[in-house]
Amino acid sequence: MSKSIGVGGKTAEQALATLSDMTAGAVPIGKDEHVQRIAKAQAYMREQGIAAIYINAGANLLYFTGTRWHASERMVGAILPAEGALEYIAPAFEESTLLDFMLVEGKVNGWHEHESPYQLFVDTLGRMGIAANPAQPPRVGICESAAFFIYDGIRPLAAGYALENARSVTAHCRTRKSAAEIALMQRAKDMTLAVHVATASMLHEGITTTEVEQFIAAAHRKVGAPGSYFVIVLFGEATAYPHGVSYVQTLKQGDTVLIDTGCKLHNYISDITRTYVYGAPSDRQRSVWNSEKKAQAAAFEAAQLGVPCEQVDQAARRSLEADGYGPGYKLPGLPHRTGHGIGLDIHEWPYLVGGDTTPLAPGMCFSNEPMICIPGEFGVRHEDHFYMTESGPKWFTEPSHSIDDPFGLNKAA
Protein backbone atom coordinates (compact mmCIF):
# COMPACT_ATOMS: atom_id res chain seq x y z
CA MET A 1 0.00 0.00 0.00
CA SER A 2 1.25 3.46 -0.84
CA LYS A 3 1.35 6.56 1.33
CA SER A 4 -1.94 8.42 1.73
CA ILE A 5 -2.41 10.92 -1.08
CA GLY A 6 -1.83 14.51 0.00
CA VAL A 7 -0.21 13.55 3.30
CA GLY A 8 3.37 14.83 3.54
CA GLY A 9 5.81 15.95 0.87
CA LYS A 10 5.89 19.75 1.25
CA THR A 11 7.81 22.04 3.54
CA ALA A 12 5.82 24.32 5.83
CA GLU A 13 6.74 27.27 3.63
CA GLN A 14 5.58 25.47 0.48
CA ALA A 15 2.33 24.47 2.15
CA LEU A 16 1.62 28.03 3.31
CA ALA A 17 2.33 29.29 -0.20
CA THR A 18 -0.65 27.26 -1.48
CA LEU A 19 -3.02 29.37 0.64
CA SER A 20 -4.39 32.85 0.09
CA ASP A 21 -6.98 35.15 1.64
CA MET A 22 -10.44 33.62 1.19
CA THR A 23 -12.54 36.32 2.89
CA ALA A 24 -13.29 38.52 -0.14
CA GLY A 25 -17.01 39.18 -0.43
CA ALA A 26 -17.87 37.78 3.00
CA VAL A 27 -20.41 40.21 4.44
CA PRO A 28 -20.95 40.57 8.21
CA ILE A 29 -24.49 40.51 9.56
CA GLY A 30 -25.92 44.02 9.22
CA LYS A 31 -28.22 46.13 11.34
CA ASP A 32 -31.29 45.27 9.27
CA GLU A 33 -30.96 41.58 10.06
CA HIS A 34 -30.50 42.30 13.76
CA VAL A 35 -33.69 44.37 13.73
CA GLN A 36 -35.48 41.47 12.03
CA ARG A 37 -34.21 39.08 14.71
CA ILE A 38 -35.60 41.31 17.45
CA ALA A 39 -38.97 41.48 15.70
CA LYS A 40 -39.02 37.69 15.30
CA ALA A 41 -38.24 37.21 18.99
CA GLN A 42 -40.94 39.66 20.05
CA ALA A 43 -43.55 37.97 17.86
CA TYR A 44 -42.65 34.62 19.40
CA MET A 45 -42.76 36.07 22.91
CA ARG A 46 -46.25 37.45 22.32
CA GLU A 47 -47.35 34.09 20.95
CA GLN A 48 -45.95 32.30 24.02
CA GLY A 49 -47.16 34.84 26.57
CA ILE A 50 -43.67 35.95 27.65
CA ALA A 51 -43.59 39.61 28.74
CA ALA A 52 -39.85 40.27 28.49
CA ILE A 53 -36.45 38.61 28.41
CA TYR A 54 -33.07 39.67 29.73
CA ILE A 55 -30.29 39.14 27.16
CA ASN A 56 -26.85 38.91 28.75
CA ALA A 57 -23.55 40.13 27.33
CA GLY A 58 -21.97 37.54 25.05
CA ALA A 59 -23.27 35.58 22.07
CA ASN A 60 -26.97 36.25 22.75
CA LEU A 61 -26.48 40.02 23.00
CA LEU A 62 -24.37 39.91 19.85
CA TYR A 63 -26.98 37.85 18.01
CA PHE A 64 -29.93 40.12 18.72
CA THR A 65 -28.31 43.56 18.82
CA GLY A 66 -24.93 43.28 17.10
CA THR A 67 -23.40 44.69 20.29
CA ARG A 68 -20.14 42.95 21.10
CA TRP A 69 -19.56 42.85 24.86
CA HIS A 70 -17.91 40.16 26.95
CA ALA A 71 -19.68 38.94 30.07
CA SER A 72 -17.93 39.84 33.34
CA GLU A 73 -18.67 40.29 37.05
CA ARG A 74 -20.77 43.36 36.20
CA MET A 75 -24.27 42.99 34.79
CA VAL A 76 -24.35 44.16 31.17
CA GLY A 77 -27.13 43.25 28.78
CA ALA A 78 -30.44 44.22 27.27
CA ILE A 79 -34.11 43.99 28.22
CA LEU A 80 -36.29 42.96 25.31
CA PRO A 81 -40.03 43.45 25.95
CA ALA A 82 -42.65 41.63 23.91
CA GLU A 83 -43.91 45.06 22.89
CA GLY A 84 -41.84 48.21 22.49
CA ALA A 85 -38.20 49.18 22.19
CA LEU A 86 -35.27 47.21 23.55
CA GLU A 87 -33.27 48.90 26.33
CA TYR A 88 -29.80 48.23 27.70
CA ILE A 89 -28.57 47.92 31.27
CA ALA A 90 -24.92 48.59 32.14
CA PRO A 91 -22.61 50.31 34.62
CA ALA A 92 -22.99 54.07 34.24
CA PHE A 93 -19.29 54.52 33.59
CA GLU A 94 -19.52 52.14 30.59
CA GLU A 95 -22.38 53.97 28.87
CA SER A 96 -20.28 55.89 26.34
CA THR A 97 -18.26 52.78 25.48
CA LEU A 98 -21.42 50.69 25.11
CA LEU A 99 -22.93 53.31 22.80
CA ASP A 100 -19.81 53.08 20.65
CA PHE A 101 -20.24 49.29 20.28
CA MET A 102 -23.99 49.35 19.58
CA LEU A 103 -25.38 48.31 16.25
CA VAL A 104 -29.02 48.40 17.36
CA GLU A 105 -29.46 51.58 19.39
CA GLY A 106 -31.39 51.74 22.62
CA LYS A 107 -31.71 53.60 25.89
CA VAL A 108 -28.97 52.71 28.39
CA ASN A 109 -30.08 52.27 32.01
CA GLY A 110 -26.95 52.92 34.06
CA TRP A 111 -26.12 51.93 37.60
CA HIS A 112 -23.28 53.26 39.76
CA GLU A 113 -20.88 50.95 41.54
CA HIS A 114 -22.59 51.28 44.94
CA GLU A 115 -26.05 50.67 43.45
CA SER A 116 -27.87 47.42 42.65
CA PRO A 117 -28.16 46.57 38.94
CA TYR A 118 -30.78 43.98 39.91
CA GLN A 119 -33.03 46.57 41.48
CA LEU A 120 -32.50 48.72 38.40
CA PHE A 121 -33.55 45.78 36.25
CA VAL A 122 -36.80 45.31 38.18
CA ASP A 123 -37.49 49.05 38.25
CA THR A 124 -36.90 49.26 34.50
CA LEU A 125 -39.39 46.48 33.84
CA GLY A 126 -42.00 48.50 35.71
CA ARG A 127 -41.18 51.68 33.82
CA MET A 128 -41.45 49.75 30.53
CA GLY A 129 -45.03 48.83 31.44
CA ILE A 130 -44.30 45.32 32.71
CA ALA A 131 -45.56 45.74 36.26
CA ALA A 132 -45.32 43.17 39.03
CA ASN A 133 -48.62 41.39 39.59
CA PRO A 134 -48.77 38.73 42.32
CA ALA A 135 -52.17 37.59 41.08
CA GLN A 136 -50.98 37.06 37.51
CA PRO A 137 -47.15 37.42 37.42
CA PRO A 138 -45.72 38.51 34.06
CA ARG A 139 -43.35 35.90 32.65
CA VAL A 140 -39.79 37.25 32.44
CA GLY A 141 -37.04 35.17 30.87
CA ILE A 142 -33.47 35.36 32.16
CA CYS A 143 -30.73 34.62 29.64
CA GLU A 144 -29.57 31.02 30.03
CA SER A 145 -25.94 32.11 29.57
CA ALA A 146 -26.08 34.69 32.38
CA ALA A 147 -23.98 33.83 35.42
CA PHE A 148 -25.90 32.55 38.43
CA PHE A 149 -25.10 35.72 40.40
CA ILE A 150 -27.31 37.72 38.05
CA TYR A 151 -30.32 35.47 38.56
CA ASP A 152 -29.54 35.25 42.27
CA GLY A 153 -29.51 39.05 42.49
CA ILE A 154 -32.78 39.50 40.62
CA ARG A 155 -34.77 36.69 42.23
CA PRO A 156 -35.36 38.16 45.74
CA LEU A 157 -36.41 41.51 44.22
CA ALA A 158 -38.81 40.05 41.68
CA ALA A 159 -41.92 39.37 43.74
CA GLY A 160 -44.86 39.54 41.38
CA TYR A 161 -42.85 38.28 38.40
CA ALA A 162 -42.51 34.71 37.12
CA LEU A 163 -38.83 34.24 36.28
CA GLU A 164 -37.94 31.55 33.77
CA ASN A 165 -35.24 30.48 31.35
CA ALA A 166 -35.12 32.71 28.26
CA ARG A 167 -33.75 29.79 26.25
CA SER A 168 -37.19 29.11 24.80
CA VAL A 169 -36.86 32.42 22.95
CA THR A 170 -33.12 32.64 22.31
CA ALA A 171 -32.81 29.06 21.08
CA HIS A 172 -35.95 29.34 18.95
CA CYS A 173 -34.36 32.24 17.08
CA ARG A 174 -30.71 31.21 16.99
CA THR A 175 -31.17 27.59 15.92
CA ARG A 176 -32.76 28.59 12.62
CA LYS A 177 -29.98 30.27 10.64
CA SER A 178 -30.62 32.82 7.93
CA ALA A 179 -29.12 32.63 4.46
CA ALA A 180 -26.58 35.27 5.49
CA GLU A 181 -25.50 33.23 8.52
CA ILE A 182 -25.18 30.05 6.46
CA ALA A 183 -23.08 31.91 3.87
CA LEU A 184 -20.63 33.05 6.57
CA MET A 185 -20.44 29.56 8.05
CA GLN A 186 -19.87 28.09 4.60
CA ARG A 187 -16.95 30.42 3.96
CA ALA A 188 -15.41 29.79 7.38
CA LYS A 189 -15.60 26.04 6.82
CA ASP A 190 -14.12 26.36 3.33
CA MET A 191 -11.23 28.26 4.91
CA THR A 192 -10.60 25.60 7.53
CA LEU A 193 -10.83 22.77 5.02
CA ALA A 194 -8.15 24.49 2.91
CA VAL A 195 -6.03 24.72 6.07
CA HIS A 196 -6.52 20.99 6.65
CA VAL A 197 -5.29 20.16 3.15
CA ALA A 198 -2.23 22.37 3.55
CA THR A 199 -1.47 20.93 6.98
CA ALA A 200 -1.58 17.33 5.78
CA SER A 201 0.81 18.21 2.97
CA MET A 202 3.57 19.44 5.32
CA LEU A 203 3.66 16.56 7.77
CA HIS A 204 6.95 14.72 8.13
CA GLU A 205 8.40 12.11 10.41
CA GLY A 206 9.64 13.72 13.62
CA ILE A 207 7.32 16.76 13.54
CA THR A 208 5.63 17.46 16.88
CA THR A 209 2.00 18.20 17.57
CA THR A 210 3.06 21.64 18.86
CA GLU A 211 4.72 22.47 15.54
CA VAL A 212 1.60 21.40 13.65
CA GLU A 213 -0.59 23.55 15.89
CA GLN A 214 1.64 26.55 15.16
CA PHE A 215 1.42 25.88 11.42
CA ILE A 216 -2.39 25.66 11.57
CA ALA A 217 -2.60 29.05 13.31
CA ALA A 218 -0.38 30.57 10.61
CA ALA A 219 -2.40 28.87 7.88
CA HIS A 220 -5.68 30.23 9.26
CA ARG A 221 -4.15 33.71 9.21
CA LYS A 222 -3.08 33.13 5.61
CA VAL A 223 -6.66 32.40 4.53
CA GLY A 224 -7.88 35.55 6.29
CA ALA A 225 -8.90 34.49 9.80
CA PRO A 226 -7.39 36.08 12.94
CA GLY A 227 -5.83 32.67 13.62
CA SER A 228 -7.18 29.36 14.84
CA TYR A 229 -10.28 29.61 17.04
CA PHE A 230 -9.15 26.29 18.48
CA VAL A 231 -6.89 23.41 17.42
CA ILE A 232 -6.40 19.81 18.52
CA VAL A 233 -3.57 17.79 16.94
CA LEU A 234 -3.11 14.15 17.93
CA PHE A 235 -0.84 11.34 16.73
CA GLY A 236 -0.94 7.60 17.31
CA GLU A 237 -2.58 6.26 20.46
CA ALA A 238 -3.44 9.80 21.59
CA THR A 239 -6.08 9.95 18.82
CA ALA A 240 -8.27 7.69 20.98
CA TYR A 241 -9.02 10.61 23.31
CA PRO A 242 -11.67 12.93 21.81
CA HIS A 243 -10.38 16.23 23.20
CA GLY A 244 -6.71 15.45 23.39
CA VAL A 245 -4.00 14.62 25.90
CA SER A 246 -1.66 16.63 28.09
CA TYR A 247 1.59 15.65 26.38
CA VAL A 248 3.29 16.50 23.08
CA GLN A 249 3.54 13.73 20.51
CA THR A 250 6.06 13.17 17.70
CA LEU A 251 4.95 11.79 14.35
CA LYS A 252 6.22 8.45 13.08
CA GLN A 253 5.42 6.16 10.17
CA GLY A 254 2.08 4.38 10.50
CA ASP A 255 0.64 6.84 13.01
CA THR A 256 -3.01 7.73 12.89
CA VAL A 257 -3.28 11.53 12.64
CA LEU A 258 -6.34 13.37 14.00
CA ILE A 259 -6.65 17.13 13.54
CA ASP A 260 -9.68 19.08 14.77
CA THR A 261 -9.63 22.82 14.18
CA GLY A 262 -11.68 25.86 13.26
CA CYS A 263 -11.67 29.61 12.83
CA LYS A 264 -14.02 32.58 13.07
CA LEU A 265 -15.30 34.73 10.23
CA HIS A 266 -17.43 37.74 11.22
CA ASN A 267 -18.23 35.92 14.49
CA TYR A 268 -19.33 32.63 12.87
CA ILE A 269 -17.34 29.47 13.54
CA SER A 270 -15.94 26.52 11.60
CA ASP A 271 -15.13 23.17 13.17
CA ILE A 272 -13.77 20.31 11.04
CA THR A 273 -11.92 17.11 11.96
CA ARG A 274 -9.87 14.98 9.61
CA THR A 275 -8.31 11.61 10.45
CA TYR A 276 -5.84 9.77 8.23
CA VAL A 277 -2.61 7.80 8.43
CA TYR A 278 0.94 9.03 7.96
CA GLY A 279 2.38 6.30 5.78
CA ALA A 280 0.65 3.08 4.76
CA PRO A 281 -2.59 2.32 6.63
CA SER A 282 -2.87 -1.07 8.30
CA ASP A 283 -5.85 -3.31 7.72
CA ARG A 284 -7.03 -2.42 11.24
CA GLN A 285 -6.81 1.33 10.61
CA ARG A 286 -8.61 0.92 7.29
CA SER A 287 -11.44 -1.09 8.85
CA VAL A 288 -12.05 1.40 11.67
CA TRP A 289 -11.77 4.38 9.30
CA ASN A 290 -14.40 2.87 7.01
CA SER A 291 -16.73 2.06 9.92
CA GLU A 292 -16.53 5.69 11.00
CA LYS A 293 -17.35 6.85 7.47
CA LYS A 294 -20.38 4.54 7.37
CA ALA A 295 -21.64 5.86 10.71
CA GLN A 296 -21.27 9.47 9.58
CA ALA A 297 -23.19 8.66 6.39
CA ALA A 298 -25.93 6.92 8.37
CA ALA A 299 -26.38 9.98 10.58
CA PHE A 300 -26.60 12.27 7.54
CA GLU A 301 -29.16 10.00 5.87
CA ALA A 302 -31.31 10.00 9.02
CA ALA A 303 -31.30 13.80 9.28
CA GLN A 304 -34.57 14.56 7.54
CA LEU A 305 -37.04 17.38 8.18
CA GLY A 306 -39.28 16.74 11.17
CA VAL A 307 -37.15 13.88 12.51
CA PRO A 308 -36.25 14.26 16.22
CA CYS A 309 -32.57 15.05 16.77
CA GLU A 310 -32.08 11.91 18.86
CA GLN A 311 -32.90 9.69 15.90
CA VAL A 312 -29.81 10.95 14.06
CA ASP A 313 -27.67 9.83 17.00
CA GLN A 314 -29.47 6.50 17.06
CA ALA A 315 -28.77 5.93 13.35
CA ALA A 316 -25.03 6.46 13.85
CA ARG A 317 -24.98 4.07 16.82
CA ARG A 318 -26.87 1.37 14.91
CA SER A 319 -24.26 1.56 12.17
CA LEU A 320 -21.41 1.29 14.67
CA GLU A 321 -23.04 -1.55 16.58
CA ALA A 322 -23.46 -3.48 13.31
CA ASP A 323 -19.68 -3.28 12.95
CA GLY A 324 -19.07 -4.51 16.49
CA TYR A 325 -18.72 -1.24 18.43
CA GLY A 326 -20.58 -0.19 21.55
CA PRO A 327 -23.36 -0.77 22.31
CA GLY A 328 -24.41 2.67 23.44
CA TYR A 329 -21.50 4.64 24.86
CA LYS A 330 -19.40 1.56 25.60
CA LEU A 331 -15.82 1.47 24.32
CA PRO A 332 -14.49 0.66 21.85
CA GLY A 333 -17.11 2.81 20.21
CA LEU A 334 -18.71 6.24 20.37
CA PRO A 335 -18.43 7.79 23.86
CA HIS A 336 -20.17 11.10 23.14
CA ARG A 337 -23.09 12.57 21.18
CA THR A 338 -23.10 12.33 17.39
CA GLY A 339 -23.26 16.09 16.86
CA HIS A 340 -23.91 19.60 18.10
CA GLY A 341 -25.44 22.76 16.75
CA ILE A 342 -23.08 25.53 15.69
CA GLY A 343 -23.21 29.24 14.86
CA LEU A 344 -21.96 32.12 16.99
CA ASP A 345 -21.03 29.49 19.59
CA ILE A 346 -19.12 26.37 18.66
CA HIS A 347 -21.59 24.22 20.60
CA GLU A 348 -25.21 25.33 20.35
CA TRP A 349 -28.62 23.76 20.69
CA PRO A 350 -30.07 21.52 19.55
CA TYR A 351 -27.88 18.41 19.91
CA LEU A 352 -27.81 15.13 18.02
CA VAL A 353 -28.04 13.01 21.16
CA GLY A 354 -30.46 10.70 22.90
CA GLY A 355 -33.12 12.67 24.75
CA ASP A 356 -33.12 15.68 22.42
CA THR A 357 -36.49 15.42 20.70
CA THR A 358 -36.25 18.75 18.83
CA PRO A 359 -37.62 18.19 15.30
CA LEU A 360 -35.14 19.05 12.55
CA ALA A 361 -36.19 22.25 10.78
CA PRO A 362 -34.84 24.39 7.92
CA GLY A 363 -31.88 26.53 8.94
CA MET A 364 -30.61 24.25 11.69
CA CYS A 365 -26.88 23.53 11.50
CA PHE A 366 -25.04 20.55 13.01
CA SER A 367 -21.73 18.79 13.30
CA ASN A 368 -21.76 15.11 12.30
CA GLU A 369 -18.95 13.33 14.18
CA PRO A 370 -19.74 9.86 15.53
CA MET A 371 -16.15 9.18 16.64
CA ILE A 372 -14.77 5.67 17.20
CA CYS A 373 -12.43 5.53 20.22
CA ILE A 374 -10.26 2.47 20.86
CA PRO A 375 -8.17 3.15 23.98
CA GLY A 376 -4.67 1.75 23.73
CA GLU A 377 -4.77 1.79 19.92
CA PHE A 378 -6.14 4.87 18.16
CA GLY A 379 -9.31 6.79 17.34
CA VAL A 380 -11.00 8.00 14.17
CA ARG A 381 -13.25 11.04 13.94
CA HIS A 382 -14.68 12.37 10.70
CA GLU A 383 -16.34 15.71 11.45
CA ASP A 384 -18.21 17.65 8.83
CA HIS A 385 -21.21 19.91 9.27
CA PHE A 386 -24.53 20.05 7.52
CA TYR A 387 -27.52 22.38 7.49
CA MET A 388 -31.17 21.65 6.97
CA THR A 389 -32.82 22.96 3.81
CA GLU A 390 -36.45 22.76 2.72
CA SER A 391 -35.54 19.52 0.94
CA GLY A 392 -33.36 17.93 3.61
CA PRO A 393 -29.74 18.00 4.82
CA LYS A 394 -26.92 19.62 2.84
CA TRP A 395 -23.21 19.31 3.63
CA PHE A 396 -21.14 22.42 4.29
CA THR A 397 -18.05 20.34 3.46
CA GLU A 398 -17.99 16.96 1.73
CA PRO A 399 -16.91 14.09 3.99
CA SER A 400 -13.40 12.70 3.79
CA HIS A 401 -13.03 10.63 0.61
CA SER A 402 -11.02 7.57 1.66
CA ILE A 403 -8.21 6.63 4.01
CA ASP A 404 -5.83 6.52 1.03
CA ASP A 405 -7.04 9.83 -0.39
CA PRO A 406 -8.62 11.73 2.53
CA PHE A 407 -9.02 15.02 0.67
CA GLY A 408 -10.20 13.59 -2.64
CA LEU A 409 -7.10 14.84 -4.48
CA ASN A 410 -7.21 11.80 -6.73
CA LYS A 411 -10.77 10.48 -6.71
CA ALA A 412 -9.88 7.98 -9.38
CA ALA A 413 -7.50 6.32 -6.92
Side-chain angles (χ1 to χ4, degrees), residues 19-92:
L19 300 173
S20 58
D21 193 314
M22 297 173 64
T23 62
V27 181
I29 302 300
K31 180 178 177 180
D32 287 350
E33 181 157 332
H34 288 291
V35 170
Q36 291 167 10
R37 292 172 178 180
I38 289 171
K40 177 181 177 181
Q42 289 181 310
Y44 185 73
M45 290 160 63
R46 291 192 295 271
E47 179 185 310
Q48 299 297 315
I50 299 170
I53 61 171
Y54 168 69
I55 304 168
N56 199 50
N60 279 335
L61 187 66
L62 178 64
Y63 177 83
F64 286 106
T65 72
T67 304
R68 181 190 297 277
W69 200 274
H70 294 290
S72 72
E73 80 282 5
R74 294 183 174 94
M75 184 178 180
V76 177
I79 304 169
L80 179 62
E83 300 273 3
L86 171 144
E87 296 189 13
Y88 293 85
I89 185 167

Side-chain angles (χ1 to χ4, degrees), residues 125-373:
L125 286 176
R127 182 182 52 74
M128 296 172 83
I130 306 166
N133 183 351
Q136 192 172 358
R139 293 170 60 192
V140 176
I142 304 298
C143 188
E144 74 279 12
S145 65
F148 177 73
F149 73 82
I150 293 177
Y151 171 79
D152 196 46
I154 293 170
R155 180 176 50 85
L157 304 173
Y161 292 99
L163 301 182
E164 61 182 69
N165 194 332
R167 172 182 166 174
S168 61
V169 178
T170 57
H172 173 78
C173 295
R174 286 181 57 187
T175 55
R176 294 157 176 83
K177 270 63 178 183
S178 68
E181 290 179 285
I182 287 173
L184 287 173
M185 294 170 68
Q186 181 68 68
R187 185 68 63 86
K189 294 174 198 303
D190 291 343
M191 290 160 64
T192 290
L193 187 57
V195 168
H196 267 291
V197 174
T199 303
S201 77
M202 53 74 68
L203 296 180
H204 60 82
E205 196 161 5
I207 196 170
T208 66
T209 48
T210 301
E211 291 173 306
V212 178
E213 290 166 3
Q214 292 168 347
F215 174 86
I216 291 171
H220 268 128
R221 289 192 291 271
K222 191 75 184 296
V223 296
S228 298
Y229 178 64
F230 76 99
V231 59
I232 300 170
V233 179
L234 302 169
F235 299 153
E237 195 268 340
T239 59
Y241 303 95
H243 289 158
V245 294
S246 62
Y247 53 89
V248 175
Q249 307 112 59
T250 301
L251 186 63
K252 62 182 185 300
Q253 286 289 326
D255 271 349
T256 301
V257 176
L258 187 155
I259 298 176
D260 184 358
T261 189
C263 68
K264 275 191 171 186
L265 176 64
H266 299 312
N267 305 309
Y268 285 85
I269 300 171
S270 62
D271 176 14
I272 300 173
T273 306
R274 287 291 178 264
T275 307
Y276 41 85
V277 175
Y278 183 74
S282 68
D283 290 343
R284 172 69 162 163
Q285 288 168 319
R286 186 180 301 278
S287 173
V288 177
W289 198 100
N290 287 337
S291 289
E292 167 71 357
K293 185 172 175 65
K294 283 169 54 183
Q296 189 190 40
F300 182 78
E301 182 64 28
Q304 301 300 320
L305 291 175
V307 168
C309 284
E310 66 178 2
Q311 290 189 19
V312 180
D313 182 77
Q314 291 164 4
R317 292 184 195 279
R318 282 195 300 271
S319 176
L320 292 171
E321 288 170 17
D323 283 354
Y325 300 102
Y329 294 94
K330 185 178 178 181
L331 297 180
L334 170 57
H336 55 66
R337 63 197 173 212
T338 292
H340 56 80
I342 190 169
L344 289 175
D345 288 316
I346 194 167
H347 293 164
E348 293 185 357
W349 2 246
Y351 293 94
L352 305 180
V353 67
D356 193 327
T357 58
T358 306
L360 297 180
M364 290 183 175
C365 302
F366 298 94
S367 73
N368 183 349
E369 47 178 322
M371 182 178 186
I372 300 175
C373 299

